[in-house]
Amino acid sequence: MAEKIAFTKMHGVGNDFVVVDGRDANDQDWSALAIEMCDRHTGIGADGLIILERTLFADLMMRMYNPDGTPDVCGNGLRCVARYAVEEGIVSKDDLFIGTLAGVRRAKLHRNAEGQIVSITVSMGRPQFEPASIPMRVAQEPVIDFPLDVTPTETLLITALSTGTTHAVTFVAELPDDERFFTISPLVEKHPLFPERASLMWCVLVAPNVLSMRIWERGAGETWGCGTGACAAAVAAVLKNCASPDAPIVVRSKGGELIVRWRPGAEIEMTGPAERVYRGFYPLCR
């Protein structure tokens, strides 16, 4: 019988992941497996592969790989890991600490009167605005409404920052149609000013402290949700005086809503759901 690996499919606002408990796994090429397992035609299909590992610095370590195999940081995945860890008995508390490539993050599960998990709040660290930390090859700091020349006829006003991963946020009058979205977004992702590529959040302010966005994630393409991107969009809205830091900011995407709280100088907090879809086994030798 071919060797196989157990996995759980999970999602947060439609941002879906293959979650694997790798604490006792033999050496695996997780990057190569991410490419294989995340393929929506020949694999399981997901926006990313998440591996749980042991660490001395937190309750557990989360490693996330994009569908192209590149390692990254993921806010929706962070909530999924928190729920998975508690429900699987890996962690026996509703307030836990998870290691990521961007540092240790705190997660707190919220339950209803029946004890069911209804949402999860995660700390996302402080946003980084220094060009070297984003990273972005510009001298401007903070990078607010930078005119990014994408094509000879298309210039986007970009607010760029890192929320553990590189984000470019652009505020527009209406969300782009498919032609514009799929033409412009990958050009921004791979723009020479972003040496490590960037995710692009197209945002519309639809009401006070309410944003609607369409998401292009580096290494993944269009996704229904992006936790780090929702945080970046909310921070950008505060920086541009489009939203107030004195109240929660609602960020809507195709997959649902996330609630983001941020005051300048403080850490970002994000609250949203995390859902289990199904369990299965994936053959490692096919």
Side-chain angles (χ1 to χ4, degrees):
M1 182 179 294
E3 186 181 356
K4 57 188 179 182
I5 189 166
F7 71 89
T8 299
K9 182 75 178 289
M10 302 188 73
H11 81 89
V13 294
N15 199 191
D16 60 340
F17 307 97
V18 174
V19 181
V20 172
D21 184 353
R23 292 175 300 153
D24 297 317
N26 296 325
D27 290 341
Q28 296 285 350
D29 186 346
W30 297 119
S31 178
L33 273 174
I35 297 171
E36 185 178 315
M37 296 171 79
C38 292
D39 190 288
R40 296 191 183 276
H41 299 287
T42 60
I44 299 166
D47 292 327
L49 170 65
I50 294 175
I51 309 300
L52 277 60
E53 297 179 350
R54 289 187 170 86
T55 178
L56 298 175
F57 306 104
D59 292 302
L60 69 158
M61 179 72 186
M62 159 189 163
R63 296 194 183 276
M64 182 270 189
Y65 297 85
N66 290 316
D68 66 355
T70 54
D72 216 331
V73 176
C74 179
N76 286 326
L78 190 62
R79 295 197 317 279
C80 290
V81 165
R83 179 165 192 162
Y84 178 93
V86 171
E87 291 187 331
E88 294 296 318
I90 298 171
V91 179
S92 58
K93 54 186 179 179
D94 284 355
D95 195 339
L96 61 154
F97 293 88
I98 302 170
T100 75
L101 290 180
V104 176
R105 300 289 185 250
R106 183 179 182 180
K108 183 174 179 57
L109 279 62
H110 306 289
R111 299 178 184 265
N112 61 19
E114 289 73 39
Q116 299 167 322
I117 299 169
V118 292
S119 65
I120 301 165
T121 297
V122 290
S123 65
M124 297 295 292
R126 290 180 172 83
Q128 300 296 312
F129 305 112
E130 303 85 355
S133 298
I134 296 173
M136 186 179 182
R137 295 189 176 110
V138 294
Q140 178 179 330
E141 182 185 335
V143 184
I144 301 176
D145 284 345
F146 179 86
L148 188 75
D149 294 327
V150 185
T151 71
T153 59
E154 180 88 39
T155 298
L156 291 182
L157 294 180
I158 292 293
T159 297
L161 64 149
S162 173
T163 51
T165 182
T166 308
H167 285 289
V169 182
T170 186
F171 285 84
V172 290
E174 59 183 13
L175 294 180
D177 59 18
D178 283 354
E179 181 178 2
R180 188 177 185 213
F181 179 81
F182 288 110
T183 299
I184 299 301
S185 300
L187 297 179
V188 173
E189 175 190 357
K190 300 173 183 177
H191 196 283
L193 291 184
F194 293 110
E196 296 180 9
R197 297 185 297 170
S199 298
L200 177 62
M201 306 295 114
W202 299 81
C203 295
V204 175
L205 183 67
V206 295
N209 275 44
V210 180
L211 304 178
S212 178
M213 72 176 185
R214 191 170 184 184
I215 303 156
W216 180 272
E217 285 198 66
R218 67 179 185 182
E222 183 171 22
T223 59
W224 283 23
C226 178
T228 55
C231 292
V235 169
V238 171
L239 292 178
K240 287 170 53 62
N241 296 315
C242 296
S244 169
D246 297 325
I249 300 171
V250 178
V251 184
R252 297 171 178 166
S253 63
K254 284 188 176 182
E257 291 186 354
L258 296 173
I259 307 298
V260 181
R261 293 173 174 84
W262 180 71
R263 289 178 177 273
E267 291 197 356
I268 307 167
E269 280 195 350
M270 175 184 60
T271 301
E275 304 292 340
R276 185 192 302 269
V277 183
Y278 61 85
R279 302 172 185 262
F281 292 92
Y282 189 80
L284 295 178
C285 300
R286 294 190 296 167

